[in-house]
Amino acid sequence: MSQGAASLLLAHKPHGRILLVIGEGKLALQRARAAVDAGMRAVLAWHTPHDPTEPGIECVAIERDTLFPAPAQEAACAEAWAHLLDRIDTPDKNLFAVCVTDTLATVVPEAHARRARCEVLAHACRARRLPLNVTDVPDLCDYAFPATHSFAGAHDSPSLQIAVTTNGKGCRLAGRIRRHIVSSLPASIGVAVDRIGDMRERAKSAAGHAVDAGEHEDEPSLGDTLGYHAPMEPIPAPDACTLQRRRMQWIAQISEYWPLDKLAALTPSEMQALLETDMPLRNNALPDPDERASKRSRHDLTVEPQSRGRVFLLGSGPGHPGLLTVAARDILTSPTTDLILSDKLVPTAVLALIPATTPLVIAKKFPGNAEGAQSELIAQALEAAQQGKTVVRLKQGDPYIYGRGGEELVACQNAGIECTVVPGISSAMAGPLMVGIPVTQRGAAESFVMCTGVGRGGKRVRLPGYERSRTMVVLMGVARLAAVVDTLLADESEGRAGPAYPPYTPMAIIERASSEDQRMIATTIERIVDVMEHHISDGQRPPGMLVVGWAVLSLTGPVAGARVLDDESRCAAEHADASAAAHALAACDRERIDAWLGPSGFRIVEGLPPGFERFPASSALRADDATPAPRSATGWAAPRYDAAPRAVGC
């Protein structure tokens, strides 16, 4: 290929053919797997046999002298390559192409030998008209492997593939460009391709005989040749072939101008209706003026798919309106949002952002009614979406973190409703952060685990056992605080998977995280119940979470920055006896706890952290300047459409 020429991009279908891959390692396996994905057989060739663990991949051995020929061995090398190519190609001439992946070498003499081997192999391939690809040697390449991506269609099989090539100048950059292209296309693009394919088959078979698959789409339509607004003389009704051709042109127009998500959403009945929309055009005339207000082009389709609604599963974050994502705020304040169904725990500051003209329902979940209210919310969301409305299911935190968002997604899928999940900042990570607790911290916590204090139907859940380097976050556990503490401290407990927690392990309760009145109470596991019962005067149990582990104190007071995890190895080094080392570690831990908590034995932090006042309050974030109209007792604003949904969980 000349240096300045472009590549000829072709989409091959080499089903049942063979790709010979010469090399080892990750790249060689990638090439082989790509061949198998295309329905080919892959043959991996190297001087040490590969482990043939994957179906469709065969391994053969090559003499090392063939791979790295000395200058005097070029003739023998050429003969060896010719023998290998002929052996793999016979008896059915099924060898499709050859690629070499091992051209990068760390030793200069070996690199020279690899180049010599590739030149001999290139001569043998071209003598047999076999395309060759040599990694990082573009002058020996007859073809290249582009950066590709496949989009699944309606039946999970690839219906659309895209490929990007930099003509050998930068495979990493090609991959980056591919990612940009993929991210700019809707996820349903593969389904849209299937829908157009189905319509083409319907159009080709409508008159009882087929038209070649690629025929007519690029031919000019009557509108193109005569002008979209030019009057046309009626002619007799077309025969079957002409009608078929016209329908293919109609599909071409739809492919060109319809939104891709609309194409993906087409049902069989809608596709059939679209194919029949050319009836007014059979006489080569535009529809009668009485039927349409004005004569418009064929770009202005006369039949639209039935309008469908959509459900957004929207995470509202931990509570502060400034911690909403941009996407969440846009959806909540958009005039195109028809209905918002909110969980009970979403703070008032977030709900205040919703325009007064947008209907809002707040679930009235209370003990004994949670399941019923949840089911009614789902039913209400589906009912409104089936009417073509845009519905928001507003959930605290992130929809998938104990938010039951997965159940609602499945319900939408089963009902044929488009559902978009918009992530929210989870309170499990934001809550500790807002009070100065990291869930991971170098020297204090190498991992963290998140769990719930309430199982399905109110049952107890099994909590993880103690691990010094791990932080545990328990959501919805404050109401069962005493039971949680008993589970963590008991020598043996069916409610715990793993060893008991040392009673002096730091523990914090975080209430109303990120709200202006947030509060943290921190002490140890053994003291937390007493502190909550005798030292917290308000006696309230607002929504909160539990944080357990050494990360709780890692950024606080006189022990801030302490490398707690180093104490275990230090005590083990200082005490040969394991029991003595354990006692020394416990004494070190208690000394640190005492320095952290002080004489009171607990710490309380209230309010947002310093500097957070600069973030706007909810009133400053409102999208509309109008004074909100008062809502009814059920939370409803003035209805935006007829048949307003019912109140939930009353």
Side-chain angles (χ1 to χ4, degrees):
M1 183 179 75
S2 66
Q3 294 298 318
S7 297
L8 176 62
L9 300 181
L10 304 172
H12 290 282
K13 292 190 175 181
H15 302 294
R17 306 287 298 277
I18 299 172
L19 177 70
L20 173 59
V21 182
I22 300 165
E24 64 175 350
K26 181 178 179 180
L27 181 59
L29 279 174
Q30 286 178 346
R31 299 292 189 239
R33 289 166 182 160
V36 172
D37 290 343
M40 302 177 70
R41 290 170 49 205
V43 176
L44 277 173
W46 195 242
H47 67 87
T48 55
H50 292 74
D51 182 14
T53 58
E54 300 186 33
I57 301 178
E58 176 187 345
C59 300
V60 300
I62 306 177
E63 294 293 333
R64 185 174 179 85
D65 289 342
T66 304
L67 287 170
F68 309 111
Q73 296 176 328
E74 290 189 2
C77 177
E79 183 178 349
W81 283 126
H83 176 72
L84 176 66
L85 295 176
D86 291 339
R87 176 161 61 95
I88 294 175
D89 203 23
T90 13
D92 301 322
K93 299 297 181 184
N94 267 346
L95 184 55
F96 180 75
V98 180
C99 74
V100 181
T101 65
D102 71 310
T103 51
L104 294 177
T106 56
V107 183
V108 173
E110 190 176 67
H112 174 78
R114 295 182 189 220
R115 169 73 193 198
R117 175 273 317 274
C118 291
E119 291 176 347
V120 173
L121 176 59
H123 180 76
C125 287
R126 286 164 188 167
R128 291 162 176 77
R129 297 186 180 275
L130 293 173
L132 173 68
N133 172 269
V134 183
T135 302
D136 293 315
V137 188
D139 60 298
L140 294 181
C141 292
D142 300 306
Y143 69 97
F145 285 90
T148 63
H149 183 84
S150 296
F151 292 89
H155 307 292
D156 294 329
S157 58
S159 61
L160 173 65
Q161 294 174 270
I162 62 170
V164 177
T165 179
T166 55
N167 291 324
K169 296 177 181 178
C171 59
R172 292 281 185 179
L173 182 59
R176 177 181 175 184
I177 295 170
R178 174 202 58 198
R179 292 194 299 271
H180 279 281
I181 295 173
V182 170
S183 65
S184 68
L185 294 171
S188 60
I189 182 68
V191 180
V193 172
D194 277 351
R195 297 292 182 260
I196 289 297
D198 291 346
M199 290 183 66
R200 286 171 54 83
E201 291 303 316
R202 289 169 179 267
K204 289 188 292 183
S205 61
H209 63 277
V211 177
D212 291 341
E215 192 176 0
H216 305 311
E217 283 201 25
D218 294 327
E219 293 183 6
S221 66
L222 292 173
D224 294 324
T225 55
L226 300 179
Y228 290 116
H229 298 280
M232 302 181 220
E233 294 296 330
I235 61 174
D239 57 23
C241 184
T242 302
L243 176 60
Q244 194 176 57
R245 178 177 303 177
R246 195 164 292 151
R247 285 182 170 178
M248 295 295 285
Q249 293 172 350
W250 188 237
I251 295 172
Q253 294 287 317
I254 294 172
S255 302
E256 183 71 25
Y257 295 105
W258 269 47
L260 296 173
D261 57 346
K262 291 289 187 183
L263 293 176
L266 286 173
T267 64
S269 59
E270 289 169 346
M271 287 189 282
Q272 188 61 41
L274 282 169
L275 290 177
E276 294 172 357
T277 58
D278 67 313
M279 297 301 180
L281 300 171
R282 285 186 177 179
N283 292 330
N284 293 340
L286 291 167
D288 188 87
D290 293 336
E291 298 178 6
R292 302 177 70 185
S294 61
K295 295 180 179 179
R296 290 179 285 180
S297 74
R298 290 183 64 177
H299 293 245
D300 184 15
L301 301 179
T302 59
V303 175
E304 292 284 349
Q306 182 180 358
S307 176
R308 293 189 178 193
R310 175 183 293 272
V311 173
F312 286 94
L313 288 179
L314 187 66
S316 66
H320 193 286
L323 297 180
L324 283 168
T325 63
V326 173
R329 180 178 177 273
D330 285 350
I331 295 170
L332 289 177
T333 59
S334 172
T336 63
T337 296
D338 297 301
L339 172 64
I340 297 177
L341 305 171
S342 174
D343 281 345
K344 181 179 67 175
L345 294 179
V346 176
T348 303
V350 173
L351 298 180
L353 299 176
I354 301 171
T357 54
T358 302
L360 169 66
V361 172
I362 301 175
K364 300 298 190 295
K365 292 187 179 181
F366 51 82
N369 186 52
E371 290 294 331
Q374 173 74 5
S375 299
E376 193 167 355
L377 278 176
I378 295 175
Q380 193 169 352
L382 296 180
E383 180 183 350
Q386 287 166 345
Q387 297 172 8
K389 312 304 179 184
T390 297
V391 183
V392 172
R393 269 294 285 120
L394 184 60
K395 311 183 81 66
Q396 176 76 338
D398 182 271
Y400 280 178
I401 298 182
Y402 300 120
R404 303 182 66 170
E407 299 173 22
E408 301 186 31
L409 175 71
V410 171
C412 290
Q413 291 174 339
N414 291 341
I417 300 297
E418 292 283 345
C419 184
T420 302
V421 181
V422 181
I425 299 175
S426 172
S427 59
M429 289 172 281
L433 184 150
M434 294 296 294
V435 295
I437 298 176
V439 292
T440 63
Q441 172 66 22
R442 188 176 181 87
E446 296 174 342
S447 63
F448 85 98
V449 60
M450 182 195 317
C451 50
T452 177
V454 184
R456 289 180 297 172
K459 297 180 180 179
R460 293 179 63 182
V461 296
R462 202 174 189 204
L463 298 174
Y466 177 69
E467 186 175 319
R468 186 176 180 82
S469 63
R470 184 172 64 193
T471 304
M472 178 175 66
V473 177
V474 183
L475 303 180
M476 300 174 288
V478 175
R480 294 167 174 79
L481 180 61
V484 170
V485 168
D486 289 344
T487 299
L488 298 181
L489 296 181
D491 291 335
E492 294 183 5
S493 174
E494 294 182 356
R496 189 187 66 238
Y501 284 69
Y504 49 80
T505 304
M507 184 174 190
I509 293 178
I510 305 170
E511 302 170 341
R512 296 181 293 266
S514 82
S515 298
E516 292 183 352
D517 58 345
Q518 73 173 10
R519 180 173 65 178
M520 179 196 73
I521 303 101
T523 181
T524 61
I525 297 178
E526 62 186 345
R527 299 175 182 174
I528 189 68
V529 174
D530 178 72
V531 169
M532 295 300 292
E533 290 181 353
H534 300 102
H535 298 278
I536 305 300
S537 59
D538 56 19
Q540 297 180 0
R541 289 293 185 272
M545 69 182 72
L546 308 176
V547 185
V548 184
W550 292 99
V552 171
L553 57 69
S554 63
L555 299 182
T556 308
V559 297
R563 301 180 68 84
V564 181
L565 300 183
D566 293 343
D567 294 341
E568 190 171 13
S569 57
R570 178 178 57 80
C571 291
E574 293 175 354
H575 301 273
D577 181 69
S579 177
H583 280 89
L585 179 60
C588 178
D589 287 343
R590 287 191 178 276
E591 182 180 350
R592 181 175 285 116
I593 289 290
D594 291 341
W596 170 53
L597 294 178
S600 68
F602 61 91
R603 299 173 64 92
I604 297 179
V605 177
E606 297 180 296
L608 294 173
F612 225 77
E613 63 276 1
R614 69 173 293 174
F615 300 109
S618 58
S619 59
L621 286 171
R622 287 191 60 84
D624 57 341
D625 296 326
T627 301
R631 298 183 184 275
S632 68
T634 59
W636 279 98
R640 294 181 57 177
Y641 51 91
D642 294 333
R646 303 177 301 278
V648 174
C650 296

